[in-house]
mmCIF file of all heavy atoms in Angstrom:
data_model
loop_
_atom_site.group_PDB
_atom_site.id
_atom_site.type_symbol
_atom_site.label_atom_id
_atom_site.label_comp_id
_atom_site.label_asym_id
_atom_site.label_seq_id
_atom_site.Cartn_x
_atom_site.Cartn_y
_atom_site.Cartn_z
ATOM 1 N N GLU N 418 -17.348 8.712 -39.665
ATOM 2 C CA GLU N 418 -17.511 7.376 -40.249
ATOM 3 C C GLU N 418 -16.319 6.864 -41.043
ATOM 4 O O GLU N 418 -16.327 5.725 -41.504
ATOM 5 C CB GLU N 418 -18.759 7.371 -41.139
ATOM 6 C CG GLU N 418 -20.049 7.676 -40.406
ATOM 7 C CD GLU N 418 -20.346 6.675 -39.290
ATOM 8 O OE1 GLU N 418 -19.962 5.493 -39.423
ATOM 9 O OE2 GLU N 418 -20.937 7.097 -38.270
ATOM 10 N N HIS N 419 -15.279 7.684 -41.189
ATOM 11 C CA HIS N 419 -14.149 7.259 -42.014
ATOM 12 C C HIS N 419 -13.541 5.954 -41.505
ATOM 13 O O HIS N 419 -13.170 5.074 -42.291
ATOM 14 C CB HIS N 419 -13.091 8.363 -42.049
ATOM 15 C CG HIS N 419 -11.974 8.100 -42.987
ATOM 16 N ND1 HIS N 419 -10.738 7.649 -42.564
ATOM 17 C CD2 HIS N 419 -11.892 8.182 -44.336
ATOM 18 C CE1 HIS N 419 -9.943 7.476 -43.617
ATOM 19 N NE2 HIS N 419 -10.621 7.807 -44.694
ATOM 20 N N GLU N 420 -13.448 5.803 -40.198
ATOM 21 C CA GLU N 420 -12.837 4.600 -39.629
ATOM 22 C C GLU N 420 -13.669 3.351 -39.894
ATOM 23 O O GLU N 420 -13.161 2.228 -39.758
ATOM 24 C CB GLU N 420 -12.638 4.761 -38.127
ATOM 25 C CG GLU N 420 -13.931 4.885 -37.335
ATOM 26 C CD GLU N 420 -13.684 5.080 -35.855
ATOM 27 O OE1 GLU N 420 -13.256 4.115 -35.200
ATOM 28 O OE2 GLU N 420 -13.893 6.204 -35.363
ATOM 29 N N HIS N 421 -14.907 3.540 -40.297
ATOM 30 C CA HIS N 421 -15.783 2.399 -40.594
ATOM 31 C C HIS N 421 -15.834 2.077 -42.091
ATOM 32 O O HIS N 421 -16.670 1.275 -42.528
ATOM 33 C CB HIS N 421 -17.196 2.671 -40.075
ATOM 34 C CG HIS N 421 -17.254 2.925 -38.601
ATOM 35 N ND1 HIS N 421 -17.069 1.933 -37.659
ATOM 36 C CD2 HIS N 421 -17.460 4.074 -37.911
ATOM 37 C CE1 HIS N 421 -17.161 2.442 -36.457
ATOM 38 N NE2 HIS N 421 -17.406 3.739 -36.568
ATOM 39 N N GLY N 422 -14.968 2.716 -42.852
ATOM 40 C CA GLY N 422 -14.933 2.450 -44.289
ATOM 41 C C GLY N 422 -16.011 3.174 -45.070
ATOM 42 O O GLY N 422 -16.295 2.820 -46.216
ATOM 43 N N ILE N 423 -16.597 4.204 -44.463
ATOM 44 C CA ILE N 423 -17.692 4.950 -45.087
ATOM 45 C C ILE N 423 -17.175 6.322 -45.511
ATOM 46 O O ILE N 423 -16.624 7.067 -44.703
ATOM 47 C CB ILE N 423 -18.872 5.098 -44.110
ATOM 48 C CG1 ILE N 423 -19.406 3.717 -43.715
ATOM 49 C CG2 ILE N 423 -19.980 5.962 -44.717
ATOM 50 C CD1 ILE N 423 -20.352 3.739 -42.537
ATOM 51 N N LEU N 424 -17.356 6.655 -46.788
ATOM 52 C CA LEU N 424 -16.944 7.940 -47.335
ATOM 53 C C LEU N 424 -18.177 8.775 -47.647
ATOM 54 O O LEU N 424 -19.142 8.277 -48.227
ATOM 55 C CB LEU N 424 -16.122 7.741 -48.613
ATOM 56 C CG LEU N 424 -14.920 6.798 -48.529
ATOM 57 C CD1 LEU N 424 -14.221 6.701 -49.880
ATOM 58 C CD2 LEU N 424 -13.943 7.242 -47.444
ATOM 59 N N ALA N 425 -18.149 10.042 -47.267
ATOM 60 C CA ALA N 425 -19.281 10.948 -47.496
ATOM 61 C C ALA N 425 -18.790 12.194 -48.206
ATOM 62 O O ALA N 425 -17.882 12.879 -47.717
ATOM 63 C CB ALA N 425 -19.945 11.327 -46.178
ATOM 64 N N ASN N 426 -19.354 12.489 -49.352
ATOM 65 C CA ASN N 426 -18.937 13.641 -50.139
ATOM 66 C C ASN N 426 -20.139 14.399 -50.688
ATOM 67 O O ASN N 426 -21.259 13.877 -50.725
ATOM 68 C CB ASN N 426 -18.041 13.185 -51.292
ATOM 69 C CG ASN N 426 -16.692 12.683 -50.821
ATOM 70 O OD1 ASN N 426 -15.840 13.454 -50.399
ATOM 71 N ND2 ASN N 426 -16.492 11.366 -50.860
ATOM 72 N N LEU N 427 -19.869 15.626 -51.111
ATOM 73 C CA LEU N 427 -20.894 16.499 -51.684
ATOM 74 C C LEU N 427 -20.678 16.641 -53.176
ATOM 75 O O LEU N 427 -19.545 16.615 -53.661
ATOM 76 C CB LEU N 427 -20.822 17.879 -51.037
ATOM 77 C CG LEU N 427 -21.193 17.926 -49.550
ATOM 78 C CD1 LEU N 427 -20.294 18.893 -48.811
ATOM 79 C CD2 LEU N 427 -22.661 18.307 -49.389
ATOM 80 N N TYR N 428 -21.791 16.809 -53.892
ATOM 81 C CA TYR N 428 -21.676 17.057 -55.326
ATOM 82 C C TYR N 428 -22.558 18.229 -55.711
ATOM 83 O O TYR N 428 -23.748 18.277 -55.390
ATOM 84 C CB TYR N 428 -22.102 15.830 -56.140
ATOM 85 C CG TYR N 428 -21.904 16.054 -57.627
ATOM 86 C CD1 TYR N 428 -20.620 16.131 -58.159
ATOM 87 C CD2 TYR N 428 -22.987 16.224 -58.485
ATOM 88 C CE1 TYR N 428 -20.425 16.369 -59.515
ATOM 89 C CE2 TYR N 428 -22.799 16.459 -59.832
ATOM 90 C CZ TYR N 428 -21.511 16.530 -60.340
ATOM 91 O OH TYR N 428 -21.320 16.767 -61.682
ATOM 92 N N ASN N 429 -21.960 19.197 -56.397
ATOM 93 C CA ASN N 429 -22.684 20.359 -56.903
ATOM 94 C C ASN N 429 -22.799 20.223 -58.419
ATOM 95 O O ASN N 429 -21.820 20.435 -59.134
ATOM 96 C CB ASN N 429 -21.950 21.651 -56.538
ATOM 97 C CG ASN N 429 -22.643 22.884 -57.077
ATOM 98 O OD1 ASN N 429 -23.711 22.807 -57.693
ATOM 99 N ND2 ASN N 429 -22.041 24.038 -56.871
#
Side-chain angles (χ1 to χ4, degrees):
E418 299 300 329
H419 187 258
E420 65 182 289
H421 301 288
I423 299 167
L424 307 180
N426 291 288
L427 293 142
Y428 183 69
N429 178 3

